Amino acid sequence: MSDRPRPDFSALRGQRVLITGGLGFIGSNLARRLVDLGAHVTLVDSLIPEYGGSLFNIAGLEGRVVVNISDVRDAHSLRYLVQGQDIVFNLAGQTSHMDSMQDPYTDLEINCRAQLSILEVCREYNPGLKIVFASTRQIYGKPDYLPVDEKHLLRPVDVNGINKMAGEWYHILYNNVYGLRACALRLTNTYGPRMRVKDARQTFLGLWIRRVVEEQPFEVWGGEQLRDFTYIDDAVEAFLLAAVDERANGQVFNLGGEPVISLQDLARLLVEVNGGGHYLTREFPADRKRIDIGDYYADFNRIRTTLNWVSKVGLREGLTSTLSFYREHLTYYV
Ligand SMILES: NC(=O)c1ccc[n+]([C@@H]2O[C@H](COP(=O)([O-])OP(=O)(O)OC[C@H]3O[C@@H](n4cnc5c(N)ncnc54)[C@H](O)[C@@H]3O)[C@@H](O)[C@H]2O)c1
C-alpha cells in the first residue's frame, strides 16, 4: 500500500482515445477510468467468442463510449479509426498460451502482423499520436534470475511469447525510427473484476475464482511456483501514467505486485478471503509443463522511479473485490 498522492490525470480531459481490445478485461476497466476522467473514448474489439471481450464489460457506459466492432487484422478499419485520436491503448490480443501452440498462425496474425499494420496506419495517418502497448512477462520465458528486470534476456517459451515480443518491439522501433511516441508495459498476472473466469485459458486464477464462487473445488497444479499479481486498478493507472508522461516514450516497463506468493499460499488466501472453499493439489499436466516458466516475479523499479507508479492494492483487498464482483455477476461470465 502507498500513501503517495494520486497522480494528476487532468491532461486526459477532452483527449480522444482509442482502445483496441476495449471490450476485454483490461480495456473495459481502462475505458471506465478514462470516461470518468473526461476523455472521449472509442473501443474497437472483434468480440471473437473464444476471447475475453463482452458487451457486459461496459454495462453502464452505454452512450458514453463509441463501440466499433471490428478486427485489428483489418487495416482498412484501423486506418479510419486511428485518425483524429490523441492516444491509442493497444490491448487487442490473443491471450492464450495453449491456443498459440495449437493454432500458431492465428496468434501470429493478431499478436504480430496486426501490430505492425496498426503502427503502419498510425505512421501514415496520425504520426503525432501516443501509443501504449500491452506486452507481457511471458516474453522473458523461464527466468535466469529473480526478480526479473527489463534487462533480462528475452527467451519466450511459447508461440504467444514470441509474437508478443515482436509486437512490443515493433512499437519501440516505430518510436525510435519514425518518431511515433510509443511504449510498452510488460504485464504480469493481472486480476480483478471483468477478468476471464470461464476457463483457465487466460489465467488459472480466473478459474479458481469461478469455482469458489460456485462452491466447487478448484485444482492447484504444482503449488510451489512463485508469482506476482497486479490488481486491475493498479494496471489501469500504469497505462494512464505511460500515456501522459513523455519520459515513457521508447521504454518498456515491467509491472509487478506485492507480495510475491506461491500458488499454494494463494489458494489458501483465496479460500480464507472467500470464507470457505476447497482445492486439490495435482501434478502439472504434461502439455502445460512444457511451456511453464517456473518461478517468476518482476523487479518493477523502472516504472516506479520513472513514472512514479506504485502497486496500491494488496492481494487480500484485490481478491475481496474480485470475489464480490463475481458473486453478483458470474452468470455473465460463464
Ligand atoms: N490479463 C493479464 O494478466 C495479461 C498479462 C499479460 C499481458 N496481457 C495483455 O493485455 C492485453 C489485454 O488482455 P486482457 O487480459 O484484457 O484480455 P481479454 O481477452 O479480456 O482482452 C483482449 C481483447 O482483445 C480482443 N481481441 C482479440 N483479438 C482481436 C482482434 N483481432 N481484433 C480486435 N479485437 C481483438 C478480444 O475480443 C478481447 O476483448 C492483451 O494484449 C494481453 O496479451 C494481459
Side-chain angles (χ1 to χ4, degrees), residues 170-241:
Y170 286 138
H171 285 75
I172 303 306
L173 178 84
Y174 273 60
N175 179 93
N176 296 347
V177 176
Y178 298 120
L180 274 181
R181 292 170 301 139
C183 64
L185 302 181
R186 293 179 178 164
L187 308 181
T188 186
N189 301 283
T190 310
Y191 73 104
R194 305 178 184 85
M195 72 192 290
R196 185 185 185 95
V197 296
K198 101 174 119 186
D199 52 34
R201 239 199 181 107
Q202 190 180 58
T203 160
F204 63 88
L205 181 56
L207 187 56
W208 289 12
I209 286 167
R210 171 183 178 172
R211 291 271 191 255
V212 297
V213 170
E214 291 177 334
E215 299 181 7
Q216 297 291 321
F218 62 93
E219 289 185 354
V220 179
W221 296 344
E224 300 302 315
Q225 312 92 300
L226 297 174
R227 287 283 187 276
D228 55 1
F229 295 84
T230 309
Y231 186 64
I232 183 63
D233 292 358
D234 287 335
V236 163
E237 198 142 306
F239 275 98
L240 300 180
L241 286 167

Side-chain angles (χ1 to χ4, degrees), residues 17-162:
V17 176
L18 181 72
I19 307 178
T20 74
L23 295 175
F25 162 43
I26 301 174
S28 60
N29 281 289
L30 184 57
R32 283 171 191 280
R33 184 79 192 275
L34 282 162
V35 166
D36 286 346
L37 289 166
H40 302 297
V41 180
T42 300
L43 310 177
V44 49
D45 202 294
S46 56
L47 281 184
I48 297 168
E50 294 78 26
Y51 298 169
S54 136
L55 282 171
F56 184 73
N57 280 343
I58 55 159
L61 282 189
E62 296 85 355
R64 300 171 73 200
V65 292
V66 175
V67 179
N68 187 301
I69 307 299
S70 52
D71 198 298
V72 293
R73 286 169 287 186
D74 176 6
H76 300 294
S77 302
L78 261 298
R79 184 171 59 194
Y80 160 76
L81 286 164
V82 301
Q83 292 182 40
Q85 304 293 346
D86 298 306
I87 303 168
V88 174
F89 291 101
N90 189 11
L91 276 66
Q94 191 300 107
T95 61
S96 163
H97 303 293
M98 285 306 293
D99 287 9
S100 81
M101 302 306 284
Q102 278 142 18
D103 178 5
Y105 298 111
T106 299
D107 196 273
L108 177 73
E109 287 294 319
I110 297 175
N111 288 331
C112 184
R113 193 176 197 286
Q115 303 309 316
L116 183 57
S117 85
I118 290 169
L119 290 159
E120 271 293 286
V121 295
C122 291
R123 177 170 79 93
E124 198 168 346
Y125 296 97
N126 190 354
L129 58 60
K130 170 87 180 238
I131 181 161
V132 184
F133 177 67
S135 184
T136 170
R137 62 130 160 89
Q138 193 71 8
I139 68 179
Y140 292 116
K142 213 171 162 38
D144 290 330
Y145 58 86
L146 292 165
V148 174
D149 59 18
E150 292 86 350
K151 294 187 179 131
H152 190 287
L153 186 67
L154 301 181
R155 191 177 43 210
V157 292
D158 55 34
V159 168
N160 180 263
I162 291 179

Side-chain angles (χ1 to χ4, degrees), residues 269-283:
L269 181 64
L270 181 65
V271 168
E272 188 194 319
V273 168
N274 187 52
H278 301 281
Y279 61 90
L280 315 163
T281 307
R282 51 170 285 213
E283 291 277 294

